[in-house]
Amino acid sequence: MSLLCKSSTLLVARNLSGWRPSGTIRSTPRRGAHSKRVEGSFSPFSKESNVRIECELLVATALKRLVTDEAYVKGGEYLRSLGMTNQAEIARVLDIAMDSNSKMGRFRGSRSGHNKYAKRLTVESDMKPLVAYLKSYDLSNEEVVRLITMYPPILCYSIEEQIEPLLTYLKGVGLKEPIKILVQRPSLLGLKVTPFLEKVVEYVKEHDFSEEAMANVLEYT
């Protein structure tokens, strides 16, 4: 077993060792007395412990892929070259981007929390062209990393079919620097242009709302 796997296993085991019942169990009565009573629900783990343990197991699985799966290994190396240093964060980003069944996080554009565009990424064909495109708008490494960290599915997006049309739309509704708005509000990458949204945007434009107000409408409508 690798040192990474051992560390992950020990981390989970440490949390498993101190569980206590979430309900109250009265001591076993003497023979002939009434049967024991259980007050409250009984579970080997509290709800909070279950959530924490599940998260740690998910992270451990994703971290293992960073050293065993070639696509994750190379993707992780490239993200580190951009300045992303947190191993767990790198594992989370790549898991969401490459595994359509990932449970590592939720993001705008998917009620189920799944990335429907998830695919096996390559550094040369997918990641480098995206980063080069974002940097063509004078974004720094830090800003690019923020976009990727806050919205991992962008790694799977087509520049021509998804990102460029979105930037064009944002500029058309009155945002002067749409790429900067995306850096500030990465969830806009999951924006879906619907007839209802179009009506709301038209109303905001007619009443001369500020650029920030327009961004709020787009983000939360």
Side-chain angles (χ1 to χ4, degrees), residues 92-93 96-97 106-110 115 117 130 145-157 182 185-192:
R92 182 189 69 84
V93 166
I96 292 174
R106 293 184 177 277
F107 45 85
R108 180 167 181 167
S110 175
N115 172 19
Y117 301 108
L130 171 69
V145 166
R146 173 178 167 76
L147 266 176
I148 293 172
T149 302
M150 298 297 290
Y151 202 83
I154 192 176
L155 290 171
C156 313
Y157 277 18
L182 288 182
R185 302 164 184 261
S187 64
L188 284 176
L189 285 161
L191 183 68
K192 296 196 181 302

Side-chain angles (χ1 to χ4, degrees), residues 34 59 69 83 128 134 159 176 191 205 216 219:
H34 294 294
V59 171
D69 187 308
K128 281 188 176 180
L134 295 174
I159 294 172
K176 296 176 182 178
L191 183 68
K205 289 172 70 174
N216 280 331
E219 186 170 17

Side-chain angles (χ1 to χ4, degrees), residues 23-158:
T24 301
I25 300 183
R26 300 217 171 167
S27 58
T28 305
R30 293 186 303 246
R31 181 177 297 181
H34 294 294
S35 60
K36 64 181 179 181
R37 297 191 315 179
V38 179
E39 297 176 356
S41 61
F42 177 73
S43 168
F45 306 104
S46 67
K47 182 177 181 180
E48 293 77 11
S49 294
N50 282 334
V51 171
R52 185 174 65 251
I53 291 166
E54 181 180 7
C55 288
E56 288 174 351
L57 288 172
L58 289 172
V59 171
T61 300
L63 284 170
K64 184 178 179 182
R65 288 179 174 178
L66 277 181
V67 296
T68 60
D69 187 308
E70 185 178 3
Y72 282 71
V73 172
K74 291 184 176 180
E77 290 172 351
Y78 183 65
L79 291 179
R80 281 190 288 274
S81 76
L82 295 176
M84 192 180 293
T85 57
N86 187 304
Q87 284 290 89
E89 194 69 0
I90 292 172
R92 182 189 69 84
V93 166
L94 292 176
D95 203 64
I96 292 174
M98 289 201 248
D99 185 352
S100 60
N101 294 314
S102 174
K103 297 180 181 179
M104 294 296 287
R106 293 184 177 277
F107 45 85
R108 180 167 181 167
S110 175
R111 290 176 180 267
S112 65
H114 294 168
N115 172 19
K116 66 180 180 179
Y117 301 108
K119 62 180 181 179
R120 298 281 293 179
L121 299 173
T122 67
V123 173
E124 296 299 326
S125 300
D126 300 302
M127 301 176 78
K128 281 188 176 180
L130 171 69
V131 171
Y133 175 78
L134 295 174
K135 286 188 173 183
S136 71
Y137 286 93
D138 295 323
L139 295 188
S140 65
N141 274 3
E142 183 179 355
E143 289 173 317
V144 170
V145 166
R146 173 178 167 76
L147 266 176
I148 293 172
T149 302
M150 298 297 290
Y151 202 83
I154 192 176
L155 290 171
C156 313
Y157 277 18
S158 162

